[in-house]
Amino acid sequence: MLKTQEIESKIALNLLAWFDKSGRTLPWRTRGKRDPYKVWLAEIMLQQTTVAAVIPYYRKFLDLYPDVRTLAQAPLEEVLHHWAGLGYYARARNLHACANVVARDNGGKFPETEAGLLKLPGIGAYTAAAIAAIAFDEKTTVVDGNVERVASRLFAVTAPLPKSKTKLKTLTSTLTPEQRPGDFAEAMMDLGATVCTPKSPDCKACPVGDLCQGFEKGIQDTLPRRDKAKPRPVRRGFVYWLEDNGKVLVRRRPEKGLLGGMLELPTSVWVEGDPGHAKPAGGKWQKLDGTIGHTFTHFHLELEVFKGQGPAEGQWIAKDELLSAGFPTVMKKVIRKVLS
Ligand code: SF4
């Protein structure tokens, strides 16, 4: 019978061998030493976002900003414009702030340790561990949602998330090898994304199937367990489409807060009670039928749309340029509704 340590190192070895043959081919993965700028850019974009959604944005950003200095020199508004549609806009502002710190204070070089990376804007525990492992081969423990799922199954952890997070991280750290920790992190992520999937893990094809306690006990489909999530609150708001001579009144949201610095059509506040009207000065207003629904991480939003005729003070954009002007997705939904 294998000892615990032998099982752990066999899991790592099997996963690395599988990764070499079957790991995903992704644009930010290159053979040999990895460029920290590219690793960082991809990891920031991948936070809360699918690989499929990230790939075109990653390619666009690399074309526009091939290194950290070009990104730092770009105006923030331009970066936000190119980020539009990818969501979680605080990431774009932090991306720009981080590029500035690296270019200005660090001579264009990213810190090479998890601890150093953690000090940069927008780099949290997961991202610091991932960049340190993938770009600099530091033996860190990289745990995202995919890895939590794989670890909970490998070790048959039945305690529910989020309470079991620390335990899953400790267990993952026992697997992380001295050699190739970055490849190991990506192998765990890839296994979670392609084999050990949430609904139907393909245990028969799994490179660590014979070492997996969840599979052995037949409980893999039920893991990880989770405490019941609280239902998302619903907020309401009004949004105003003011038109004059083929142009539409727009404004920029405050730098801080939700969708900070992004373009929007004028809106009321978004609250759970009565949002109260904050219509821009204009002519008669007509309420459009139905509402626009959009779900953010912490709440669901229902917007009622009002249409009016200008003129008014402010920034105007031609109607046919609105959809390419860099609005966030919730505003694009409003624009599409009015234009339809
Ligand atoms: Fe996941 Fe099944 Fe592999 Fe275990 S054997 S890690 S449950 S795919």
Side-chain angles (χ1 to χ4, degrees):
M1 196 167 156
L2 290 174
K3 288 194 203 126
T4 311
Q5 258 184 342
E6 287 169 344
I7 293 173
E8 287 162 2
S9 58
K10 194 155 186 286
I11 288 175
L13 282 174
N14 286 11
L15 270 178
L16 285 169
W18 171 82
F19 180 68
D20 289 339
K21 246 185 22 217
S22 312
R24 291 174 293 179
T25 304
L26 297 170
W28 45 88
R29 288 190 183 165
T30 43
R31 292 259 164 234
K33 195 156 168 43
R34 305 273 286 273
D35 177 351
Y37 172 68
K38 293 179 184 169
V39 174
W40 164 74
L41 184 62
E43 287 300 333
I44 299 291
M45 289 185 165
L46 286 164
Q47 291 167 0
Q48 319 256 14
T49 311
T50 62
V51 164
V54 164
I55 287 175
Y57 282 86
Y58 173 80
R59 292 207 164 113
K60 175 168 72 170
F61 267 67
L62 263 198
D63 277 350
L64 292 164
Y65 314 119
D67 54 44
V68 74
R69 285 201 171 87
T70 37
L71 178 57
Q73 280 158 8
L76 174 61
E77 275 187 16
E78 181 191 294
V79 174
L80 287 170
H81 172 87
H82 293 302
W83 191 277
L86 197 56
Y88 299 97
Y89 296 94
R91 291 184 299 171
R93 287 195 304 280
N94 281 328
L95 187 86
H96 191 252
C98 182
N100 271 286
V101 173
V102 172
R104 193 189 53 222
D105 303 343
N106 284 26
K109 288 209 157 97
F110 281 84
E112 298 194 0
T113 63
E114 184 179 15
L117 288 158
L118 256 178
K119 293 186 186 139
L120 293 173
I123 299 191
Y126 163 78
T127 309
I131 300 171
I134 298 167
F136 301 115
D137 250 347
E138 183 179 345
K139 191 188 165 204
T140 62
T141 307
V142 186
V143 184
D144 67 355
N146 274 329
V147 175
E148 276 177 351
R149 183 171 60 257
V150 174
S152 73
R153 290 171 173 175
L154 278 174
F155 293 99
V157 175
T158 52
L161 280 167
K163 275 192 213 111
S164 56
K165 266 184 183 294
T166 311
K167 180 171 185 177
L168 292 174
K169 187 162 184 184
T170 307
L171 289 169
T172 306
S173 76
T174 65
L175 300 177
T176 307
E178 296 290 336
Q179 305 293 322
R180 303 179 66 193
D183 288 348
F184 173 78
E186 291 188 318
M188 285 284 274
M189 291 175 203
D190 283 14
L191 190 79
T194 62
V195 179
C196 194
T197 51
K199 290 222 172 82
S200 43
D202 189 359
C203 301
K204 293 208 174 103
C206 179
V208 288
D210 57 338
L211 303 162
C212 175
Q213 297 174 41
F215 182 36
E216 192 186 324
K217 293 181 177 169
I219 57 170
Q220 71 276 21
D221 290 0
T222 70
L223 302 175
R225 297 192 182 147
R226 285 175 203 282
D227 280 332
K228 267 212 175 109
K230 286 193 205 133
R232 270 197 189 91
V234 177
R235 295 188 191 172
R236 293 178 58 231
F238 303 120
V239 59
Y240 306 100
W241 175 284
L242 188 65
E243 198 173 321
D244 188 35
N245 275 327
K247 292 189 171 176
V248 175
L249 183 67
V250 303
R251 66 184 187 189
R252 209 163 268 285
R253 291 178 67 84
E255 282 293 318
K256 291 241 160 81
L258 185 73
L259 306 178
M262 300 298 293
L263 274 178
E264 69 170 6
L265 300 170
T267 78
S268 66
V269 290
W270 301 341
V271 289
E272 284 178 53
D274 177 5
H277 274 290
K279 291 182 182 125
K284 280 192 185 144
W285 291 94
Q286 172 208 352
K287 181 180 156 345
L288 302 192
D289 288 341
T291 57
I292 298 288
H294 188 78
T295 302
F296 293 95
T297 324
H298 301 299
F299 67 95
H300 177 78
L301 176 66
E302 287 292 332
L303 283 175
E304 291 180 38
V305 185
F306 288 79
K307 211 175 150 187
Q309 289 285 334
E313 286 293 309
Q315 184 185 349
W316 296 77
I317 295 183
K319 252 196 309 191
D320 56 4
E321 289 170 12
L322 283 172
L323 282 172
S324 56
F327 284 90
T329 305
V330 59
M331 288 293 150
K332 279 194 178 153
K333 288 184 184 175
V334 176
I335 293 164
R336 286 199 185 98
K337 178 179 173 75
V338 179
L339 293 179
S340 65

